[in-house]
Each structure stands twice: as C-alpha cells, then as structure tokens.
Amino acid sequence: SGVPSVFLFPSPGSGGWALPSSPGSCQGNSVERKIYIPLNKTAPCVRLLNATHQIGCQSSISGDTGVIHVVEKEEDLNWVLADGPHPPYMILLDGNLFNRSVLMQLKGTSRVSGLAVSIAKPNPPQGFSPGLKCPNDGFGVYSKDYGPQYAHCNTTVWNPVGSGLSYEDFDFPIFLLEDANETQVIKQCYQDHNVPRDGSGPEYPLCAMQLFSHMHAVTSTVTCMRRNSIQNTFSINPETVCDPLLDYNVWSTLQPINSSGKVDREQEVIIVATRIDSHSFFWNIAPGAESAVSSFVTHLAAAEALHKASDVHSLQRNVMFTFFQGETFDYIGSSRMVYDMEKDKFPLRLDNIHSFVELNQVALRNGSVLWIQIVRNLLDILSNSSVGANVTLQEAGYSQPLPPSSFQRFLRARHIPGVVLTDHQAAFQNRYYQSMYDTPENIRMQYPEGLSPEETLEYVTDTAKSLAEVATVVARALYRLAGGANNTSAIQADPKTVTRMLYGFLIKMNNSWFQSIIKPDLKGILGDVPQHYVAVSSPVNTTYLVHYVLANLTGTVVNLTKEECLNPDKTPNAEKELYDYAWVQGSLDPNSTTRVPYCVRSTVRLSKALSPAFELRQWGSTEYSTWTESRWKEIRARIFLVASKELEIITLVVGIAILVFSLLATHFINAKADVLFSIPRDPGAVAY
C-alpha cells in the first residue's frame, strides 16, 4: 500500500494535488478519483445536546483540511503545537494517546484542524472510559432532598477511569479509523511526503486530510427544538436541525396480560430489568460488552429458564421482563415507563410492583462473587437461590449507595423493595465503560482458532458458562419471589443459548440463528458488527433483535398459516390483546436453500422510549432526559497531496495571464475578422 510519486493534478476548490490511490481504492477515470483517496471505514464524533450544553465535535461547513502529522508519542505533539511550519495540522493519533490530557492540549490551539484516531491494539492496559466518573448524575434517586450524602458520587465514584471526554465540546472534527489498512495508507503517505528532514520542514507537495462533519444544531436542546418548532410552523419545507434520542423498550410477562387494558390493582408483578444500549466517543460505535450486553443476555437466558418451569402459570405473582433503551442518556427508557405508569398509559401501575430485580454489569465477577446492591430485604430469597450454583451472593452493605441503574428512576417515584445485581461492590470492574474498547475481549470471550462462523456460533465459551450460572440464580430467585414452592433445581439456564446470544450481539449479527428467528422483511437489519447506540431512528437493530430473541426463547410455536399469523384479529381464539404473533423466517431446510417459516406466539411488546420532556415540550427539564442529536448533511474523510502556497499563487497568476491573453487575442481576432477571414476575389472575374 505504498504511495509512489506521480504526476500532480490541481484539486478544484481546495488547493489539492493528485495522490496515487491504493490498489482497488479508485475505479474509473474521473478527475476526483485521481485526486483523492476516500477513507470509507471511519466513524465520526458528532454533536449531542441537552438542556444546557452541546457536546461532541464538528467541522466547518465546507470541511476542515490540514497537513497530516503522525503522533505516536507525546513528544510528537511539539511539532504540531509549536515547531511545524505548515499549520494547520490534521493529526493521526495513536489510540494509546487518545486521552483527556492530549485532547485538552489540542482543544485550545488554532494549529490543529482535526484528528483521526487509530484503534489501540491491544486495548489500553490502563483502561479508557470517555464517560463521566458519575454516570447519569442528577437523574437518579439521590439529590439534596433524598440521600444527599450519596448524591454526585460523594460516597462512591462509580467510574474512576472516566475522563468525561464524551461530554466535552470540540470545534474541530475527530474521526475514528476503523480499518488498519486505511491507517497504513495514511502513514505511508506521511512517510513519503511529510516526515521532517534533518530537523527542517518537509518540502511540498505534502500529504493532507480533509474531514467533513458539519453539524446543524448549536447551543442546547432548548435552542434547537425551538428552531425546529419555528421551522415546522412557518416554513413550507421545514428543515429539522436536531432530533430527540428515542427508541422502544422491550417487555413481556410470564403470564399474559391485556396489553391494551389495565392490570387489576390487587395483581402483584415483579419487574426484572436491564438496559440494552451503550455509547462511546464515536457515533454508532457502542459494543457495550460489559456495560449492556452481558446483562441483557443474562436476562434473556433467565427469562427462558423461568418460562420452562412447569407451574409458571399458577404462580401467585406475575413477572415482567423489561429491557430499557436509552438508559445511557439519563435513563430515557425507564423514566418514560415510570411516567406512563403514573399517567395510566401503561397496563401496569406503580402500585402493582411487588419488587424490582435489576441486572447491571455482571460479566467481570471476581471469582464467583456477585454483589447485591439492595433496598429493603430480599437477601434471603436471593441467597437461597444461589445454593448449588457457582455463584456467591454478597451484600454490598447498607452504607453503600445504589449504582447507576434504572431502578433509581422507579425509586424516585415510589419506595419499592428491590435489588441491583453487579460484579462490583463499589467502583466498576469495567475499565472500558462507555468506550470503543468494551468489546468481547473485555469480558474474556475466547474461541479456538480455525473455527468456522457456524462452529463459533455454537462454541460454548467460559464467559457463556459463567453468565448462564448468573441467569440460573436469577431465574430461581424470580420463581421464589413469584410464590413458587417447588424444588428449583430443574430451573437451569442453557449455556448454549447464552453463547449464541453473545456471538450474535457482540461479534456477528448476521448469523444463522438470528436469521431464523426474525421476520422476512427485517433481514436487512442483520449487519456484521453489532452496535448498541440508541440513535434517533427507531427501532434500532438491537431493539428488534432483543424483541425476537425474547419471543423465540419464551414464546410458543403455533399451528397457524401465514395469513392467520399476520392477521390474528381474523383468527378465532387468537386473543390478540394477550399475545403478539410473528411470522418468522425459520431455519434453512437441510436439503435445499429455502427456509421453513413458522408462527410464534409470545407476550413480547414494545413501548415508547422517548423522554417525557419532549412529550411535555419541557426542553429545559431537569427532571427528565433532554438529549438530542444534531443533524448533518454529509460525513466523509479523504486524503490528497497539497501544493505550496507559492505554487498555488503562480498557478493562479499563470491561469489569469492565459485568460487575459485569450480574451485579448479573441478581441483582436474579432476586430480584424473582415481582414483575416475575407474571401479573396477570383482573378479570372471581370468587372464591368
């Protein structure tokens, strides 16, 4: 992927010169393709806004351009910040230097026009979290009026490695380079053209980069939503500048309930909950292995195990399995469900909640220990449920506040007995919370070499076995809490199910199992690399897949035709108010390439995960989440060779001179046209 010297072509509009392309990167003969190498595997930092601030990054409206300088150690910054003669610079930053100290140095200088970050491999050993030290601070249960000693992480700093980078505002673009080959092309271009020689600056042409990520929204959610409102009121073609972060919560019940009615006030329900979203510094890069996936996969496995118990339909209490979206951004999903319960817009009321069990980060247990962060005593039932399992439950202690959790939003509304299960007693075990490094490697997922994708899908990892043990304890505890009296030894989570889910949600969504359990018209959602950002278009892939995995694990295959399954209103005894019906693709027929579809009946439902602040038009709310995402027109990155200013001026002057000469020549020729272009007389002609 070297970059040899070639002829240079002027770059229209940006002073650029032709850069040779890497093999296969350019096809066709257009001038633009001869000038630029596009960087196709990148992820931008984009602008988000809340009631009071804007965070993230953006470029100028026409993109930002700079001479590339590779920074692999902190000393290399001196060239960019002081010594280099060709500012502004576009920095290619080694992933191990992507930290608060370095970025704060770059933030305050006009000598930097942008940043391209390569991924550190292996993950930074010291940890890396661009999130806050105190996640969702101010939106949980603790405040100056309730538990002030616990508010603002006064007692426990939950995310000590949190740098808060994701919550800073940068006035230059920052992109993540996801492809090592593209990173190498940039480095080779830098080596060929930009490396300082003998302590002096390199000679032109120089290798440059241009980043486009101009954001439309500014200042705060209050400002951008007001502009949206004005546009919608007065403009024929309104242009939206920002959108609320929104999606759907996924929920289902052990015993069916009328989703369009109200549950009796006497009916008690146990809520088991977890979040399904994550976040990182870069847009839609949110693997969330420990922060989200480990917990919701465990939750799904526990739901399957409990549904297999023989007497679940005769239990005294119902169980609701709830998967909240948008929790990373000040509890969007849980605050909306609480709001809907209070306003009688949900089948359950807060009065119906008997107790609350939440699965938080659970993959990085120290040995067999799982910590119980508890509000009012459910300890005996939970402890008894762990007998015979390789899980040791320990109470964090009453002096310990609850960690950031959806349960806190319910406690804000009402005192409810409940527990939050975690792998940490105090500070998070997760050193990559809300970062691009919260990957399968972070939760110690390992596979033997040489496995095919299908073999990898089915291979039961140690991580899957460990999470299946936690799911077993949770399922048995829920059975006891619901009033079950039988022996619980038969309630057992399946490690094979857990390993399939971990593979699908962390490594490859487009796998044979996921293909078999979704609707035919949704097969386009199965991308390769899973991400779990809540986004603004809904439902996102994670929501769809959690919905259909839950339906597959807890539902029943029913003998209905496609027409009956798709139109349960017209099907006798379908009880559509109690059940949801889905016509799914099914597995491939072993002897052909066709699938064998079938109908699944389940109690799985979706409910809106949009902050009540937008329902109430209280865009400056301090009670509810107010996060929005700016809109943009284009996100792209490219590299090219740039000529010196002197050569650009000479080229311009020569061009103007040629233009002036052409105009004068044209004028002269036009003025003398009758002489220059007159037709000579025929010498044989005689005039009389």
Side-chain angles (χ1 to χ4, degrees), residues 299-312:
H299 186 171
L300 288 162
E304 179 192 34
L306 185 57
H307 267 268
K308 289 180 178 177
S310 57
D311 58 338
V312 290

Side-chain angles (χ1 to χ4, degrees), residues 139 331 334-335 338 406-413 623-624:
F139 289 86
Y331 307 119
S334 54
S335 63
V338 171
S406 307
F407 184 30
Q408 291 204 32
R409 289 302 303 193
F410 284 80
L411 288 173
R412 257 177 103 118
E623 170 70 14
Y624 298 112

